Amino acid sequence: MALQDARDQVDRAFTGGTAKGLDFENAFGGATSIFRRRYTKDLAGFDVAITGIPFDQAVTHRPGARFGPRAIREASALQPFDPPYGWDYSPLEALAIADYGDLGFDYAQVAAFPDALRAHVAGILDQGAACIAMGGDHYVSFPILQAHAERHGPLSLIQFDAHSDTWADDNMSRIDHGTMFYKAVKTGVVDPETSVQVGIRTVNPDTLGVTTIDARSVHEAAPGDVAKRIQAIVGDRPTYLTFDIDALDPAFAPGTGTPVWGGLSSGQAAAILRDLAGINLVGGDVVEVSPPYDTTGATAIAGAHVVMELLCLWGWTRRT
């Protein structure tokens, strides 16, 4: 297959004949899906399902993350032509990957959202596929973590973020994008002793025992050394990786609800993620891409690359 195949390939999200392989559909045309993968709810024979969570209930500053999944899918159209740079591994060719579409929920019944999301992810896992999610505000990670913990027990968490999101909140029914990891630790979903937050640059008096590698520490170290420290913390335990796009500096990702200066560059994030190869990743997400605040699309492009890195990390330990 080569670029000239674009003359014959179109709308591969619906017409794709196989679940594996690179794709040469014109990036500017055709039906949009993540990496031009096939849309399906039937995951028989699929390794990974990528799903969108178009939800933002009360972000700190700027709403719009509900449009994140749509923007990430569009940005991903640039990526299916080649294996990802820097990896000796091509997940689009090695893995059967489905675009599972988005979570459907009643926007007027906000209290019902967590159970709807947990059941949505459980439905993916019950079919034998791994789940990678595109948010949505960062609260979505909590119900997703719950669905994974039901299968694996307490999880190690790798969290790329500007904020620790462990502010105290003992009302477990509150849907808050800044307290969900407090709840995850307190309910035993996340093991704080084997978890790590990367890129933090806001004050929080209590991180509940989770190791913090703040943004300055990242800037003052080599990316490979940061990755080694993360690997030492999570070990070989079942690990979930969440990437809040505001882990990146606003210069690299202005389209987010809570931008904070002094963050990671996209280059630093890419190198760290790639050097995490070998962790026991069971699932992951990228959240808080808010395209209304970035007319360039750079934030969505970063989000699409994070999804690809998550695919690489999940598949790396399972390659044959």
Side-chain angles (χ1 to χ4, degrees), residues 260-320:
V260 183
W261 78 330
L264 279 60
S265 71
S266 56
Q268 287 172 312
I272 294 168
L273 287 169
R274 290 169 190 175
D275 283 353
L276 290 177
I279 62 171
N280 181 15
L281 190 74
V282 297
D285 63 53
V286 57
V287 297
E288 302 214 1
V289 172
S290 190
Y293 303 98
D294 179 7
T295 59
T296 71
T299 309
I301 290 170
H305 279 276
V306 171
V307 175
M308 181 64 78
E309 298 299 302
L310 290 172
L311 285 172
C312 290
L313 289 170
W314 186 87
W316 181 256
T317 56
R318 297 166 175 84
R319 67 196 191 283
T320 57

Side-chain angles (χ1 to χ4, degrees), residues 96-113:
I97 302 165
D99 189 324
Y100 196 71
D102 287 353
L103 167 69
F105 62 96
D106 186 345
Y107 67 88
Q109 297 286 343
V110 177
F113 171 79

Side-chain angles (χ1 to χ4, degrees), residues 4-320:
Q4 60 262 31
D5 291 331
R7 66 192 175 201
D8 302 314
Q9 293 186 0
V10 68
D11 297 330
R12 300 281 285 177
F14 302 110
T15 66
T18 64
K20 298 180 180 180
L22 300 176
D23 189 273
F24 298 93
E25 182 175 346
N26 285 324
F28 52 80
T32 303
S33 66
I34 189 73
F35 308 128
R36 303 292 187 179
R37 301 301 94 178
R38 188 194 314 168
Y39 277 111
T40 183
K41 300 293 187 182
D42 180 1
L43 298 176
F46 282 90
D47 300 303
V48 182
I50 303 173
T51 189
I53 317 298
F55 175 84
D56 58 85
Q57 186 266 338
V59 293
T60 304
H61 183 43
R62 304 187 301 190
R66 65 187 60 186
F67 298 109
R70 183 180 297 176
I72 291 170
R73 285 187 175 98
E74 181 178 355
S76 78
L78 292 167
Q79 294 176 258
F81 305 110
D82 301 293
Y85 185 78
W87 286 87
D88 185 20
Y89 177 70
S90 179
L92 297 187
E93 295 177 280
L95 301 175
I97 302 165
D99 189 324
Y100 196 71
D102 287 353
L103 167 69
F105 62 96
D106 186 345
Y107 67 88
Q109 297 286 343
V110 177
F113 171 79
D115 285 342
L117 175 52
R118 186 165 59 250
H120 177 78
V121 174
I124 291 172
L125 301 179
D126 286 346
Q127 293 189 64
C131 178
I132 294 174
M134 305 176 291
D137 76 40
H138 212 162
Y139 176 82
V140 305
S141 295
F142 183 34
I144 298 172
L145 281 164
Q146 290 175 313
H148 282 83
E150 288 173 359
R151 287 152 180 81
H152 300 284
L155 299 162
S156 296
L157 179 69
I158 301 174
Q159 175 189 349
F160 286 80
D161 208 327
H163 316 86
S164 65
D165 296 326
T166 57
W167 286 280
D169 181 4
D170 290 309
N171 183 347
M172 296 299 163
S173 66
R174 289 188 70 254
I175 299 172
D176 190 318
H177 77 293
T179 68
M180 65 285 172
F181 294 130
Y182 177 91
K183 296 180 172 77
V185 171
K186 290 295 185 178
T187 58
V189 171
V190 164
D191 174 13
E193 293 185 1
T194 61
S195 296
V196 57
Q197 299 169 327
V198 185
I200 305 300
R201 51 195 188 277
T202 52
V203 175
N204 187 339
D206 188 0
T207 60
L208 302 179
V210 177
T211 299
T212 297
I213 304 175
D214 67 12
R216 178 168 180 166
S217 297
V218 174
H219 295 318
E220 294 178 347
D225 291 337
V226 175
K228 287 178 182 177
R229 186 177 175 196
I230 295 169
Q231 286 188 315
I233 292 166
V234 301
D236 60 0
R237 291 175 47 81
T239 298
Y240 187 91
L241 194 155
T242 180
F243 197 107
D244 187 328
I245 208 67
D246 70 25
L248 302 181
D249 189 86
F252 298 90
T256 183
T258 47
V260 183
W261 78 330
L264 279 60
S265 71
S266 56
Q268 287 172 312
I272 294 168
L273 287 169
R274 290 169 190 175
D275 283 353
L276 290 177
I279 62 171
N280 181 15
L281 190 74
V282 297
D285 63 53
V286 57
V287 297
E288 302 214 1
V289 172
S290 190
Y293 303 98
D294 179 7
T295 59
T296 71
T299 309
I301 290 170
H305 279 276
V306 171
V307 175
M308 181 64 78
E309 298 299 302
L310 290 172
L311 285 172
C312 290
L313 289 170
W314 186 87
W316 181 256
T317 56
R318 297 166 175 84
R319 67 196 191 283
T320 57

